[in-house]
Amino acid sequence: MRRTVNVRELPEFDPARYLDNKESIAVYLTGILEANDAALLASALGDIARARGMTEIAKAAGITREALYKALRPDSAPRFETISRVCEALGVRLVAQPLSTRKAAA
């Protein structure tokens, strides 16, 4: 017997629950960066900050908790300085890599 699942009844996925170590954070951010979407990056950094503790990350980044929430909401466009300070507070670094030959040609 097949059972139909209503997607609206499923619990909302929260990536913060799975971002509990540096490796999972790095893999998550790498995938997000490949999307080349600034708002998605801000939202992902917000997921990581929630996983690590928003108050702690805000303090380490030198910004208020409220400003951090505002900067990292899904529809935001934070300044690069904010992204850089949050990444440092999270203990991660954004790294540039050359595109593969196949991707560069496309």
Side-chain angles (χ1 to χ4, degrees):
M1 175 200 264
R2 263 176 78 179
R3 182 172 170 230
T4 304
V5 175
N6 186 341
V7 174
R8 284 178 254 142
E9 293 175 3
L10 294 173
E12 187 174 325
F13 177 74
D14 183 7
R17 295 181 52 199
Y18 305 95
L19 301 171
D20 55 0
N21 61 61
K22 290 180 182 181
E23 290 76 24
S24 62
I25 290 170
V27 168
Y28 182 59
L29 276 179
T30 299
I32 294 296
L33 288 168
E34 289 174 358
N36 201 26
D37 183 328
L40 187 58
L41 174 59
S43 180
L45 289 172
D47 293 338
I48 299 166
R50 281 187 305 106
R52 303 277 303 275
M54 206 57 115
T55 301
E56 176 186 326
I57 299 304
K59 187 181 290 186
I63 52 183
T64 67
R65 189 171 149 268
E66 293 78 17
L68 185 61
Y69 271 110
K70 184 177 178 183
L72 301 181
R73 67 178 182 239
D75 62 342
S76 69
R79 297 184 333 212
F80 181 76
E81 177 187 3
T82 303
I83 296 291
S84 181
R85 290 167 72 180
V86 170
C87 284
E88 185 175 337
L90 291 170
V92 296
R93 180 180 335 157
L94 303 181
V95 178
Q97 293 182 317
L99 295 174
S100 68
T101 307
R102 195 169 34 162
K103 278 187 177 180

